[in-house]
Amino acid sequence: MTSTLIVGGSGGLGGVIAQHFADRGDAVTITSRDKARAEATAARIGAGTRGLALDLGRPETISASLAGVTDVDNVVITAVGQAANTLARFDITDAVAAVTMKLVGYAETVRVLRDRFNPGASVVLFGGLAKERPYPGSTVVTTFNAGISGLVKTLAVEMAPHRVNALHPGLIGDSPKWRDVPDPPHSAQTPIGRLVTMAEIADATDFLLRNTGINAHDLHMDGGLLVT
């Protein structure tokens, strides 16, 4: 049975991705900073999904948190840190926390699991389209999402022959943040005439994990927004 770990799998998008892999028969483990939330989400997903507590913002605790994960085929890290931060009103504490979670926490998670990878195991790290399309308040978000592009390249070299790729979504139309917002930003600008969906993001994640020719790649999931 394929073993799939979704870090951040208790959130809206992470939960959809976890459900995708559980529905196809994987042994799924999801994480949240809150153990009760992880376990409650795992129970809703069903199919033997289990929940663990893991805090990417405290990288020194990641090894102990993942002690119960003994082997893995797929690693997906979806957790985000999107607090607005500008140079004009720069919050150093928030900036350090966000970069620590997104870059140090991501890298440490992969490092901890490296020796538990099954043959053919691969990794997908989530960034975001803010790396290409900055917006007011995205100083730190744009920076760490650009950092994900660098991280997958060095990890693909250091983790070889295991593959490491990044997925960078734009706004997701049916996500909890945007599904109830009338005329969300960018929806009329995309060539497909709408925002991408969580199911499409889950399918793209699956593609990056299973296609053995894709490695050290940044996949933009934006409905074509970048060409407009």
Side-chain angles (χ1 to χ4, degrees):
M1 180 181 290
T2 301
S3 173
T4 296
L5 172 69
I6 313 292
V7 177
S10 67
L13 177 59
V16 169
I17 294 171
Q19 188 75 62
H20 174 91
F21 288 102
D23 288 347
R24 77 171 195 185
D26 288 15
V28 175
T29 300
I30 65 171
T31 79
S32 170
R33 284 179 295 179
D34 185 296
K35 183 178 181 181
R37 181 179 179 185
E39 291 176 341
T41 303
R44 286 197 299 273
I45 292 169
T49 301
R50 63 173 176 159
L52 299 176
L54 185 147
D55 187 352
L56 292 172
R58 299 174 62 208
E60 69 280 2
T61 68
I62 290 174
S63 181
S65 296
L66 293 174
V69 178
T70 56
D71 67 282
V72 65
D73 296 289
N74 299 318
V75 178
V76 181
I77 310 183
T78 69
V80 298
Q82 292 187 339
N85 212 341
T86 66
L87 286 183
R89 297 190 177 187
F90 198 62
D91 189 312
I92 293 175
T93 300
D94 284 353
V96 170
V99 172
T100 298
M101 185 207 77
K102 194 75 177 185
L103 298 180
V104 182
Y106 274 38
E108 173 66 357
T109 299
V110 176
R111 185 200 68 79
V112 166
L113 294 172
R114 170 63 180 87
D115 292 338
R116 306 173 207 176
F117 277 12
N118 293 326
S122 64
V123 177
V124 172
L125 306 181
F126 269 64
L129 208 65
K131 80 182 187 73
E132 304 291 338
R133 287 284 188 100
Y135 54 85
S138 78
T139 298
V140 175
V141 176
T142 294
T143 300
F144 65 55
N145 282 335
I148 291 293
S149 293
L151 183 59
V152 297
K153 291 177 176 62
T154 187
L155 288 179
V157 172
E158 293 203 43
M159 304 288 288
H162 299 289
R163 297 177 300 104
V164 185
N165 291 290
L167 201 160
H168 299 275
L171 301 186
I172 303 171
D174 59 347
S175 66
K177 182 176 181 178
W178 296 107
R179 63 191 173 202
D180 297 322
V181 176
D183 301 318
H186 304 159
S187 55
Q189 293 175 252
T190 65
I192 63 173
R194 60 172 177 82
L195 301 179
V196 298
T197 68
M198 291 195 287
E200 289 169 334
I201 299 296
D203 181 69
T205 304
D206 194 346
F207 163 73
L208 290 174
L209 290 168
R210 75 174 186 268
N211 190 300
T212 54
I214 304 294
N215 194 27
H217 184 76
D218 285 294
L219 178 61
H220 298 133
M221 284 290 293
D222 64 348
L225 180 65
L226 287 180
V227 302
T228 64

